[in-house]
Amino acid sequence: MSAPLIVSIPHRLSREEARRRLQSGLTRAASHVPVLSVDEEHWDGDRMTFRVRALGQAASGHVDIADDHVRLEVMLPWLLQRFAEVAQKAIRQSGRLLLEKRS
């Protein structure tokens, strides 16, 4: 089994505000990526578990919201592992935009 793809994104929001932004963020992000669809999304407190599909491959993981960062961990099937570095960069960039503190 392969190692998970892990992305940690710092934030300066309250946990509640970070969660509010993330609750609409996954579906909205998937709508901008034609090959990505959200199969499942479930919130339990400050943890979201999810399953997505890309290029016919399913990937599952979770997002944990902490006081100062959000941590995403996803297990990619072997076919999608080839795109892990690109995915990590895109997730980090989108997450920072979503979680940046606005005045």
Side-chain angles (χ1 to χ4, degrees):
M1 182 172 254
S2 64
L5 171 69
I6 298 172
V7 180
S8 183
I9 304 164
H11 71 80
R12 293 181 294 169
L13 305 169
S14 67
R15 281 185 185 218
E16 294 79 20
E17 178 62 12
R19 180 179 176 182
R20 186 189 70 75
R21 292 184 187 190
L22 289 171
Q23 282 180 319
S24 64
L26 180 60
T27 303
R28 189 174 49 218
S31 70
H32 296 312
V33 182
V35 297
L36 182 66
S37 65
V38 178
D39 288 345
E40 183 181 323
E41 179 180 337
H42 173 76
W43 282 92
D44 184 15
D46 290 331
R47 174 175 272 212
M48 175 185 60
T49 56
F50 63 89
R51 188 173 54 233
V52 294
R53 187 169 300 279
L55 302 173
Q57 302 291 306
S60 60
H62 60 271
V63 175
D64 292 308
I65 303 171
D67 290 334
D68 62 348
H69 71 283
V70 170
R71 183 178 185 273
L72 174 133
E73 183 174 322
V74 61
M75 292 301 294
L76 297 174
W78 69 271
L79 182 64
L80 295 179
Q81 288 175 5
R82 301 180 71 163
F83 304 101
E85 190 173 316
V86 172
Q88 190 174 38
K89 185 177 178 179
I91 291 166
R92 188 171 285 121
Q93 181 179 8
S94 296
R96 283 186 183 141
L97 289 173
L98 187 64
L99 296 170
E100 73 183 9
K101 194 161 189 164
R102 299 177 194 124
S103 302

